[in-house]
Amino acid sequence: MFTVFIVIIAIIAVLLILIVLVQNSKGGGLTGELGGMGATQMFGVKRTTDLLEQITWGLVGALAILCLVSNLFIGSPQDNAGINSVNVEKANQRSVPAVPTTPAPSTPAPAQQQPAPAQK
């Protein structure tokens, strides 16, 4: 079910991108793209921007609601769930070899030399 929500969210996001790109920041938008006359007669200048704005807000609302509702369909993580892989199983079965503990060679620290007294 979560996958269905993701697909619907992706479709709405693409539609939202297209609707925003159709709009013109100066208010012309769709009326300028369709040759002006046809869109003006069909929708009217004011109605075109209102329609695109309403579609934009509707898509934004639907996107927000779907994102919030999809959280309900995400399964809760299980304690024993993890990566199921042959390599992970082999790594869990293999034991780590013991590291030999050899003492570090002890060398005496060099004696700090005192500066020679200054001769007069």
Side-chain angles (χ1 to χ4, degrees):
M1 188 67 172
F2 183 70
T3 307
V4 173
F5 275 106
I6 295 298
V7 170
I8 294 172
I9 288 171
I11 291 170
I12 289 176
V14 169
L15 288 174
L16 186 61
I17 290 169
L18 293 175
I19 293 295
V20 168
L21 288 176
V22 167
Q23 294 178 9
N24 189 0
S25 62
K26 297 177 185 172
L30 190 59
T31 59
E33 297 297 324
L34 293 178
M37 280 260 187
T40 304
Q41 291 176 356
M42 187 168 44
F43 295 118
V45 175
K46 180 71 174 150
R47 296 177 90 192
T48 304
T49 56
D50 286 346
L51 177 67
L52 290 176
E53 186 177 349
Q54 288 175 356
I55 291 172
T56 303
W57 283 109
L59 288 175
V60 168
L63 186 67
I65 290 171
L66 283 174
C67 287
L68 293 174
V69 170
S70 67
N71 189 30
L72 300 174
F73 291 97
I74 297 176
S76 61
Q78 299 173 356
D79 292 333
N80 60 357
I83 300 173
N84 295 330
S85 171
V86 175
N87 293 332
V88 172
E89 291 174 8
K90 285 182 182 178
N92 287 335
Q93 292 172 357
R94 189 175 295 170
S95 63
V96 177
V99 177
T101 55
T102 57
S106 60
T107 57
Q112 293 183 356
Q113 296 179 359
Q114 300 271 339
Q119 294 180 359
K120 290 186 182 184

